[in-house]
């Protein structure tokens, strides 16, 4: 009880309360604007949070992180365009409700499900905090190295169909982290005699380039769309009553969100997929899913809003971020010499509880705000893309320059913005680069510390936690390999059956497939040529 009172005392400070209010409402606004998203907002705000107290800066970022998914449901439901990437599944059942004249019901249900998922997650983790305080000290240098390696591996494996490129990008991020001064013997690495590389490549410069500046390029090169909004009538409290009629779906979906959030590299998409699949398989009306099912909407929104609080567990307990947003938050800790990990739970447990209580209060503030302000809020969907692009580009360069008053940083940010733009146009992930930079630094430091006490390779896993983590790594690699081989076998069998089919229909389908692949190749080459022309026009 004393711990909770101490955490409440931290949150009662006027600057913390103001940061929580600004972050929660600002996150809703950011989420409601298609094409922006929390990663862009957090990247832009990072330089400003370095001058704040750790609790104030983290409260702002947590507010944006936790509330953006609420706002992202608004365009997903009203115009079939997710405000944030994790609201894509919301369009499956949210927009069909709008199409049949029930936008108010869909929005209200999404808000209520999001609130339940967020509150459920925070309560679970507040109760789980004492256990974390006991488990965290069991992690030494070798355990944290293995946990970071597992997190990086899970990030790569999670990009199904793009695991190879995700692994290459993660390795590129690790390489970027090695540039500059070596941390033990203080020798120069990969600087090639260039003074501006002596201090290394700043993580915030890369974050702003890959997420904010690249998104500004996308918005500036895309055409504005004409949007027609549905007019809302009546109160917004209907969803609270409707949610109470589906307690099983809501509880299980929130549980999936908590479990998936605590695993580095997994996050909202896996939680949503599992909860949506469970809801459909156990529903009395599975045929309604994708056509405006209230259970489907509850499953999607509850799961994705249960993840943010759970994602803070590996960050706070081990100092290992599981995604790009928590990796950005980790930099706030480092700037203020607050080291996440076992020591944080032992010495600053009130700080940890204060962060979880901030997430709890955040959900209450956002729900109240949305229930009364949705009719005015939906107008932000109409903001032109190019105006947003100019604003994001300007704020990004201001933030980069404010880091070290360096024009070189601005040039590097623009270069990474170009890289991020190409990755977005080719539908390739940028997150592995950031996690490679963050986790690569952790792995290097912890491996050096662990090797001083290790004489043989088996000594590295001679402790229970280290052995468990090593076993999980091997299991993940084996399962991923088996899945690749199974997918290839199924594909070959399908192609062989089509080729050897004795019917004219089979041969016709095989020829059509070959023709489709050739046309697809032409489309890809045309898209690449168009991309090169756009890049030429930009620069």
């Amino acid at each position: 009880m004393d711990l909770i009172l101490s955490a409440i005392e931290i949150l009662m400070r006027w600057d913390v309360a103001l940061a929580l209010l600004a972050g929660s409402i600002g996150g809703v606004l950011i989420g409601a604007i298609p094409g922006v998203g929390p990663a862009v907002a957090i990247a832009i705000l990072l330089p400003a949070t370095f001058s704040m107290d750790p609790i104030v800066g983290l409260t702002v970022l947590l507010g944006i992180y936790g509330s953006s998914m609420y706002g992202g449901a608004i365009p997903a439901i009203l115009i079939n365009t997710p405000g944030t990437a994790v609201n894509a599944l919301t369009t499956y059942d949210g927009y069909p409700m709008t199409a049949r004249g029930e936008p108010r019901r869909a929005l209200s249900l999404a808000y209520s499900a999001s609130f339940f998922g967020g509150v459920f997650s925070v309560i679970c983790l507040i109760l789980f905090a004492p256990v974390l305080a006991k488990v965290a000290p069991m992690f030494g240098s070798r355990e944290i190295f293995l946990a970071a390696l597992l997190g990086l591996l899970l990030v790569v494996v999670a990009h199904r169909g793009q695991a190879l490129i995700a692994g290459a990008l993660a390795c590129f991020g690790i390489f970027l982290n090695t540039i500059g001064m070596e941390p033990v013997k203080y020798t120069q690495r990969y600087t090639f005699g260039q003074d501006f590389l002596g201090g290394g490549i700043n993580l915030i410069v890369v974050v702003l380039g890959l997420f904010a500046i690249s998104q500004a390029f996308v918005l500036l090169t895309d055409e504005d769309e004409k949007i027609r909004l549905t007019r809302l009538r009546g109160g917004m409290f209907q969803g609270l009553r409707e949610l109470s009629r589906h307690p099983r779906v809501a509880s299980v979906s929130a549980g999936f969100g908590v479990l998936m959030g605590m695993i580095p590299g997994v996050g909202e998409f896996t939680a949503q997929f599992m909860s949506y699949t469970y809801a459909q398989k156990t529903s009395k009306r599975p045929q309604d899913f994708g056509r405006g099912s209230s259970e489907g909407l509850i499953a999607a929104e509850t799961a994705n809003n249960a993840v943010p609080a759970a994602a803070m567990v590996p960050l706070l307990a081990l100092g290992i971020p599981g995604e790009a947003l928590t990796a950005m938050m980790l930099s706030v800790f480092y700037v203020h010499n607050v080291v996440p990990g076992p020591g944080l739970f032992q010495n600053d447990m009130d700080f940890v509880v204060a962060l979880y209580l901030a997430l709890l209060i955040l959900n209450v503030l956002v729900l109240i705000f949305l229930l009364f302000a949705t009719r005015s809020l939906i107008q932000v969907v109409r903001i032109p893309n190019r105006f947003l692009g100019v604003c994001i580009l300007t704020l990004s360069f201001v933030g980069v320059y404010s880091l070290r008053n360096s024009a070189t940083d601005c040039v590097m940010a623009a270069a990474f913005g170009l890289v991020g733009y190409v990755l977005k146009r080719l539908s390739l992930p940028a997150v592995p680069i950031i996690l490679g930079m963050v986790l690569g630094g952790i792995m290097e430091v912890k491996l050096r510390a662990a090797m001083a006490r290790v004489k043989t390779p088996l000594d590295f896993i001679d402790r229970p936690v280290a052995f468990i983590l090593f076993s999980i790594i091997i299991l993940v690699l084996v399962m991923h390999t088996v899945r690749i081989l199974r997918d290839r076998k199924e594909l070959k069998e399908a192609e062989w059956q089509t080729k050897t089919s004795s019917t004219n229909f089979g041969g016709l389908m095989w020829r059509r497939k070959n023709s489709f692949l050739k046309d697809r190749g032409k489309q890809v080459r045309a898209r690449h040529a168009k991309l090169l022309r756009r890049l030429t026009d930009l620069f």
Side-chain angles (χ1 to χ4, degrees), residues 104 108-109 112 237-246:
R104 178 173 60 86
S108 179
L109 191 59
S112 303
F237 294 88
Q238 176 184 355
L240 294 171
R241 294 190 299 270
E242 189 168 359
L243 179 68
S244 63
R245 295 199 289 268
H246 303 284

Side-chain angles (χ1 to χ4, degrees), residues 139-412:
F139 281 76
S141 296
R142 66 190 75 173
E143 287 83 6
I144 293 178
F145 168 80
L146 290 171
L149 179 61
L150 176 60
L152 199 59
L153 180 63
L154 288 171
V155 170
V156 173
V157 171
H159 291 85
R160 189 169 185 178
Q162 295 181 320
L164 184 61
I165 188 65
L169 292 172
C171 291
F172 177 61
I174 294 174
F175 168 73
L176 291 177
N177 183 72
T178 63
I179 296 174
M181 192 77 73
E182 190 263 335
V184 176
K185 297 182 179 180
Y186 300 104
T187 57
Q188 297 286 337
R189 297 188 300 193
Y190 306 113
T191 58
F192 306 105
Q194 302 297 320
D195 293 336
F196 71 92
L197 291 176
I201 297 180
N202 192 294
L203 174 65
I204 309 307
V205 172
V206 180
V207 166
L208 281 164
L210 288 179
F211 290 96
I213 296 177
S214 66
Q215 188 61 31
F217 289 162
V218 171
L219 293 171
L220 287 171
T221 54
D222 284 347
E223 296 182 358
D224 294 331
E225 297 181 3
K226 294 183 179 180
I227 297 173
R228 295 183 61 184
L229 293 175
T230 303
R231 189 172 182 179
L232 300 179
R233 294 184 176 87
M236 298 293 295
F237 294 88
Q238 176 184 355
L240 294 171
R241 294 190 299 270
E242 189 168 359
L243 179 68
S244 63
R245 295 199 289 268
H246 303 284
R248 175 184 53 81
V249 174
S251 301
V252 174
S253 300
F256 278 129
V258 172
L259 292 175
M260 296 301 106
M262 289 191 291
I263 302 175
V266 179
E268 294 90 349
F269 292 106
T270 305
Q272 282 183 311
F273 174 78
M274 294 177 70
S275 60
Y276 193 86
T277 303
Y278 167 81
Q280 186 174 21
K281 288 184 176 180
T282 59
S283 174
K284 295 180 180 179
R285 297 182 60 84
Q287 69 275 10
D288 291 343
F289 280 68
R291 301 178 180 178
S293 169
S294 58
E295 292 178 281
L297 185 58
I298 290 171
E301 284 296 302
T302 303
N304 65 25
N305 279 271
V307 170
M312 297 297 291
V313 170
L315 177 68
L316 296 174
L318 303 175
I320 297 174
E323 57 179 355
L325 299 180
T326 48
M328 296 180 201
M329 294 181 195
L330 183 62
S331 62
V332 180
F333 282 97
Y334 287 158
V335 164
H336 295 283
N337 293 321
V338 178
V339 182
L344 187 65
F345 276 79
Q346 289 178 324
N347 305 321
D348 295 304
M349 193 63 188
D350 55 345
F351 181 85
V352 176
V353 176
L355 289 178
Y356 282 130
L357 288 179
L359 279 170
L360 184 63
I361 298 170
L362 150 75
N363 283 279
V364 177
L365 290 175
V366 171
L367 181 65
I368 294 173
F369 174 71
L370 286 173
L371 289 177
F372 292 99
T374 295
R375 290 179 184 81
S376 302
L377 182 63
I378 60 177
Q379 299 303 319
V380 301
V381 176
R382 298 180 182 272
I383 298 177
N385 288 343
R386 291 174 181 173
F387 175 76
L388 286 174
V390 171
C391 292
I392 292 172
L393 197 62
T394 303
L395 292 173
S396 299
F397 281 120
V398 169
V400 171
Y401 188 78
S402 67
L403 288 173
R404 295 184 290 197
N405 296 331
S406 171
T408 304
D409 286 345
C410 294
V411 174
M412 293 178 67

Side-chain angles (χ1 to χ4, degrees), residues 18-48:
L18 184 61
L20 183 59
L21 181 63
S24 58
I25 295 178
V28 173
L29 294 172
I30 293 298
I33 303 174
V36 181
V40 175
I42 291 176
I44 292 173
L45 285 175
L46 266 182

